[in-house]
Amino acid sequence: GIDLLTIRSILFNFLFYSTSVIAGLLGLPLLLGPRHYAVRFMAMVGLWNLWLLKVIAGTRYEVRGLENLGTAPVIVASKHQSMWETVSLLAIVENPALILKQELLYIPLYGQYVKKAGMIPIRRSDGPKALRTMLRRASEAVKAGRHLIIFPEGTRAAPGARNPYMPGVAGLYSHLDVPCVPVALNSGLFWPRRKLHRKPGTIIVEFLPPIAPGLDRKTFMTELENRIEGATDKLLAEAGFSPSA
């Protein structure tokens, strides 16, 4: 027979997608209002999904080091293991501008909110032009007092694995002259990529001390990767994960 974990996971996934669509339809009038309505709405949908995850799948979350964000704009450079952080960081980080793949704009409803909220889509096939567009829009977001969220790996990595860190984050760091706050997490243990199951336990997301502006590109990239991966390995170990398992 089918086990309880599978039943809970199917129920969560059904409610996650169906209530997101319903919320998206109900919120459509907000698209006629100012940008911050859409930003707040996306945060509220994120909080709703965190609640659903806790109640149905038994997956809680804990945020550490949020004081490292401060109030002035920073680059939030996060490890990427799961869809969890794509949804949840919008609820955890105040007034964020998320840098995301252009393809996500084509998701019905979601794409409309992303545009209205002033998120920053990147068409990677555009090469140097994509970087210039990203830097221009990121500068505007920082001037508006917003934190930038970027996943330096560009794509999700399974727990214990890492993808190459892309140059976009270094471009932002050198161009914007603001601190970069690395983020470690263990979400992939509980919301694995391309899998049905949502597992009970506690997802930990940790905002690490900021890297001050002014480092050269190579030093910055090494520092960023070492901090994120080192802290992520610790969070995985704390949850009982070992790479060989």
Side-chain angles (χ1 to χ4, degrees), residues 1-194:
I2 195 163
D3 63 282
L4 192 57
L5 177 66
T6 304
I7 293 169
R8 285 176 154 201
S9 299
I10 290 170
L11 180 60
F12 169 76
N13 287 320
F14 171 72
L15 288 173
F16 171 73
Y17 289 108
S18 60
T19 60
S20 292
V21 170
I22 292 164
L25 290 169
L26 292 175
L28 282 174
L30 297 175
L31 297 177
L32 302 172
R35 182 193 68 214
H36 67 87
Y37 284 10
V39 175
R40 286 300 308 148
F41 179 75
M42 292 180 84
M44 285 166 66
V45 171
L47 288 170
W48 162 255
N49 287 320
L50 286 168
W51 181 82
L52 271 185
L53 195 59
K54 180 177 80 171
V55 170
I56 295 170
T59 316
R60 292 167 167 73
Y61 75 102
E62 177 189 334
V63 180
R64 297 178 183 170
L66 197 59
E67 68 279 358
N68 286 319
L69 273 187
T71 50
V74 297
I75 301 160
V76 177
S78 176
K79 182 71 181 164
H80 199 10
Q81 290 183 348
S82 164
M83 190 173 166
W84 182 88
E85 51 271 13
T86 315
V87 175
S88 306
L89 285 177
L90 296 181
I92 294 166
V93 176
E94 190 69 33
N95 196 16
L98 177 67
I99 294 167
L100 71 179
K101 294 184 295 198
Q102 173 92 17
E103 294 82 349
L104 296 177
L105 288 185
Y106 308 135
I107 300 174
L109 291 175
Y110 179 75
Q112 304 306 309
Y113 286 98
V114 164
K115 279 186 197 161
K116 183 66 192 186
M119 304 306 179
I120 303 174
I122 301 297
R123 194 198 300 271
R124 290 191 195 137
S125 55
D126 283 358
K129 184 182 165 213
L131 185 63
R132 286 196 299 275
T133 306
M134 177 181 77
L135 294 178
R136 191 188 76 247
R137 302 217 29 209
S139 295
E140 289 163 6
V142 164
K143 283 193 187 100
R146 304 176 74 186
H147 292 310
L148 294 168
I149 300 175
I150 187 169
F151 301 113
E153 293 166 286
T155 187
R156 292 169 296 178
R162 62 174 82 179
N163 292 315
Y165 278 48
M166 311 298 266
V169 68
L172 284 175
Y173 173 79
S174 51
H175 182 76
L176 296 173
D177 199 36
V178 298
C180 176
V181 174
V183 178
L185 42 75
N186 65 1
S187 56
L189 297 177
F190 305 95
W191 184 326
R193 62 195 183 126
R194 305 190 192 109

